[in-house]
Amino acid sequence: MGKLLEVNDLEVSFKVHGGEVKAVRGVKFHVNKGETIGIVGESGCGKSVTAQTIMRLIPQPPARIKNGSIMFNGEDLLKKTEREMQKVRGKEIGMIFQDPMTSLNPTMTVGAQIMEPLIKHQNLSRKEATKRAVEMLDLVGMPNPEKRIKQYPHQFSGGMRQRAMIAIALACDPSLLIADEPTTALDVTIQAQILNVMKDLQKRLNTSIIMITHDLGVVAEVCDRVVVMYAGKVVEEGTVQEIFKNPQHPYTKGLLKSVPSLDQDKDKPLVPIYGTPPDLFSPPPGCAFCDRCDYAMNICNKQDADKYHVSDTQYARCWLLDPVAQEVRSK
């Protein structure tokens, strides 16, 4: 599989009244063609900012892209003009936003919103675009699509609005779909339906997906690889099986321990990650997770760890994986 997207050393900050928030700090990952990767982490760790930077949707100012590159099909998206990016959004990269009610235009019918990118990017006539909009709603499992294209977002339930968002995002058959917490506000039944729709569409269209979520169950079900972010950095990356069976970073282990499982002793309480993430106005010089880590060493406060590869596909940024630390722990 070739690489479709490569994010390299991305740094994004926000100028606010109190100073500069360093929201994304040297993020690096890639997405292969036809692959689904999950980006997980606590709120405020930089997941959504990274996604919106890929789409070039963050307002500048107050945001500032300080460093890095975003290579998509061999071209750096950060060097494209706004006019050039308008040709990429919707056509080559689609995005499902967190809250469909605020993302959909309340003054336009759902059909008109699906037709808009089709008319703009594929030069379809209104009749052809209408036919395609009905096909897309049918594809995502919307009942009575011929009727629904004439209705407004407020006439849809939460699950139906999310399906409509998926239909809009996939209307032009983009090669990359970014799903920013697409199931957060949905009940588990509708959540399962939406995930099944996305998996089915990926098989049909061979679309690459970036799934941004808090829900590790969603990651286990739909993703091939996992990128774990904390305080604006990637702290661990690996295949789904590696991350769930053999996590290396203490933060990853903490996330997994805080999730209930079916075989868990009901009398045994969940183990939360105590403390709070660091202030990104002035990030610590060492490991950002140091103050919350049970295994922190002196060096963790002073210097962030490099990448330590556990396998060809898994690495973590943790001093515990340093050969010297391994030697001391084994004694």
Side-chain angles (χ1 to χ4, degrees):
M1 290 189 295
K3 292 180 181 179
L4 177 67
L5 177 79
E6 287 185 87
V7 178
N8 295 305
D9 302 320
L10 184 65
E11 294 183 15
V12 183
S13 62
F14 290 85
K15 280 283 188 180
V16 294
H17 180 70
E20 182 180 12
V21 179
K22 300 175 179 66
V24 175
R25 306 187 294 143
V27 164
K28 183 175 182 178
F29 65 90
H30 71 275
V31 184
N32 294 319
K33 293 179 181 178
E35 178 185 46
T36 300
I37 75 160
I39 302 181
V40 301
E42 291 172 274
S43 295
C45 71
K47 306 185 302 295
S48 294
V49 173
T50 299
Q52 291 176 24
T53 305
I54 293 171
M55 293 290 284
R56 293 279 302 280
L57 290 175
I58 56 171
Q60 300 180 66
R64 180 185 169 202
I65 302 172
K66 300 178 69 175
N67 188 40
S69 64
I70 301 173
M71 305 302 295
F72 178 74
N73 277 332
E75 297 183 350
D76 191 350
L77 297 182
L78 297 183
K79 293 182 178 178
K80 288 185 177 291
T81 64
E82 176 58 26
R83 184 178 292 273
E84 290 172 332
M85 280 302 302
Q86 288 177 7
K87 296 178 181 178
V88 174
R89 298 188 197 109
K91 182 180 181 181
E92 298 181 54
I93 305 177
M95 187 164 184
I96 304 170
F97 295 93
Q98 265 187 48
D99 184 0
M101 192 59 198
T102 57
S103 302
L104 293 169
N105 189 331
T107 67
M108 294 173 64
T109 63
V110 168
Q113 295 183 63
I114 301 173
M115 292 160 59
E116 188 175 34
L118 293 168
I119 294 171
K120 180 177 181 179
H121 294 304
Q122 297 189 347
N123 297 319
L124 298 186
S125 66
R126 182 162 289 276
K127 183 178 180 180
E128 292 170 328
T130 302
K131 181 181 177 182
R132 174 67 172 164
V134 172
E135 291 174 352
M136 289 306 302
L137 285 182
D138 185 54
L139 192 65
V140 298
M142 184 77 73
N144 302 318
E146 295 86 357
K147 176 185 176 182
R148 294 297 183 182
I149 63 168
K150 301 173 184 177
Q151 294 182 332
Y152 291 86
H154 73 272
Q155 295 175 282
F156 283 38
S157 67
M160 291 166 66
R161 283 194 291 266
Q162 198 61 282
R163 289 172 190 263
M165 281 291 299
I166 295 173
I168 295 170
L170 292 174
C172 295
D173 295 337
S175 51
L176 176 64
L177 176 65
I178 301 174
D180 190 358
E181 301 192 32
T183 59
T184 296
L186 305 177
D187 62 61
V188 291
T189 305
I190 302 301
Q191 181 185 72
Q193 293 175 3
I194 294 297
L195 293 177
N196 286 334
V197 167
M198 293 181 68
K199 287 193 292 184
D200 184 50
L201 291 174
Q202 184 183 34
K203 289 178 182 177
R204 293 194 207 180
L205 305 175
N206 197 36
T207 304
S208 299
I209 299 176
I210 297 176
M211 176 73 73
I212 298 171
T213 181
H214 292 278
D215 193 332
L216 293 173
V218 170
V219 172
E221 184 173 348
V222 303
C223 296
D224 302 305
R225 287 189 300 113
V226 187
V227 174
V228 183
M229 288 187 65
Y230 184 76
K233 289 188 175 185
V234 175
V235 296
E236 186 165 359
E237 182 181 329
T239 65
V240 166
Q241 187 171 7
E242 287 171 334
I243 295 298
F244 279 79
K245 297 293 185 183
N246 188 32
Q248 296 296 313
H249 198 283
Y251 178 62
T252 310
K253 294 177 182 179
L255 289 177
L256 292 170
K257 286 179 181 178
S258 63
V259 177
S261 61
L262 292 175
D263 58 354
Q264 183 175 326
D265 185 349
K266 64 180 181 179
D267 296 324
K268 187 178 180 181
L270 292 175
V271 182
I273 303 175
Y274 294 101
T276 57
D279 185 355
L280 293 183
F281 277 111
S282 53
C287 175
F289 190 63
C290 180
D291 290 342
R292 306 172 73 184
C293 181
D294 294 332
Y295 310 99
M297 301 175 285
N298 288 335
I299 193 171
C300 300
N301 271 314
K302 301 172 184 176
Q303 184 180 341
D304 201 5
D306 293 326
K307 289 182 181 178
Y308 289 99
H309 284 268
V310 182
S311 70
D312 292 339
T313 53
Q314 184 182 13
Y315 76 83
R317 290 182 176 274
C318 182
W319 285 113
L320 292 173
L321 299 176
D322 186 276
V324 175
Q326 295 283 336
E327 186 179 329
V328 171
R329 291 176 68 188
S330 65
K331 289 183 179 179

